[in-house]
Amino acid sequence: MIIFWEEKEIKDCRTLMLAVVVLRLLQSGVSVDAWGADGHHATCLLAEPLLAPATLKAVRSLLPEYAKGSLASLCTWPDDIKWQHQWRWTSPLHYIDTPDFLCRYNYLRDCHNEYGDKDMCVSGAINNFTSQLTSFQLPLDLAAPYLMTKHDHPNHYNLTEATLFLAHFVGDIHQPLHVGFTSDAGGNTISVHWYKRKYNLHHIWDSELINTAKQRFYNSSLSVMVDAILLKIGGKWVGETKSWGACANHGISCPDVYAAESISLACKYAYRNATPGSRLADEYFLSRLPIVERRLAQGGVRLAFILNRLFAQTSDSLINQK
């Protein structure tokens, strides 16, 4: 079942984006309970080179002018705005809570918010915003990208929001602890030591695994890390990319598959050897980093597949030509 939440959305995207800029300034340094900013930027940076030209044109037509055609620059937007009163209803859309230690996901059982409202989880959100974007049509008078402010049809703004939500939530669902156990809120209540500092387990998977990898292997540069993952997508993982993007019955997206993978990985890797008070260091980091990089790659590839299916004007896309 797909729910459309349009009555709760802000109609004027320019006002919304201005509020985001102000909010970012006010919230600098505040952590968020999702892939950290680097994780979301990486997912979108990995997707962008795999977009078909028609897809790229469509996505750019929905971005505000100051984004300069970069979807990655706004991939943290849903985290930035969920703290605002009018957007608090989106908070449960970033994750899924599953029964403790079952290590399996079931949409009908698990996709709801704390009040039991169905479809209010990250998998339901991906279904919802994918469905909304099927109504997209590139404006006939669009001669160049970055012209969003010249198209004042109200639905155009809603589709901008839907695009940003979709890109963000595809990233979220690939972070294994976003499909974690109910009692510990996906590792948020499990306090551990990461080398010499104390964090909750969820934060380590959101940010610290990526931060440590950047510092140790990628010259403290996210772009260097993304380039290395892109090389694996086009190299050692090239035979897997089509299967990553495939959905049963020719579906546009298949978030239940992504969620089932995440809870399985959470049980096998995230929760294992990470009991409260434990110290996580090289053994944990080096054995979990390949999981993180692969999930970033899968999120990027799948986001590209989804957007190409939604927006590409031709059947061929860059990713399908690999």
Side-chain angles (χ1 to χ4, degrees), residues 67-137:
K68 297 182 179 179
S70 170
L71 176 62
S73 70
L74 291 175
C75 273
T76 63
W77 173 74
D79 278 336
D80 297 332
I81 55 94
K82 70 182 179 183
W83 308 105
Q84 297 181 37
H85 176 74
Q86 66 267 38
W87 292 102
R88 286 178 188 168
W89 63 273
T90 67
S91 291
L93 304 183
H94 293 258
Y95 61 89
I96 301 167
D97 286 334
T98 66
D100 291 3
F101 308 110
L102 186 61
C103 299
R104 289 194 298 274
Y105 159 78
N106 179 279
Y107 185 93
L108 293 178
R109 181 193 64 211
D110 302 330
C111 190
H112 57 80
N113 62 14
E114 62 181 317
Y115 305 109
D117 298 324
K118 297 295 185 182
D119 307 305
M120 295 292 286
C121 77
V122 66
S123 185
I126 291 172
N127 286 333
N128 177 67
F129 292 116
T130 298
S131 293
Q132 289 193 35
L133 286 165
T134 59
S135 68
F136 172 84
Q137 290 185 339

Side-chain angles (χ1 to χ4, degrees), residues 5-54:
W5 300 300
E6 292 161 15
E7 71 275 5
K8 297 178 180 177
E9 296 174 348
I10 293 176
K11 297 295 185 181
D12 191 336
C13 195
R14 284 164 289 182
T15 301
L16 181 152
M17 295 301 180
L18 179 59
V20 169
V21 174
V22 174
L23 189 65
R24 282 179 174 168
L25 293 174
L26 293 174
Q27 292 186 326
S28 59
V30 177
S31 62
V32 293
D33 56 342
W35 270 135
D38 278 349
H40 283 293
H41 289 153
T43 299
C44 290
L45 287 170
L46 290 165
E48 285 177 335
L50 304 175
L51 298 180

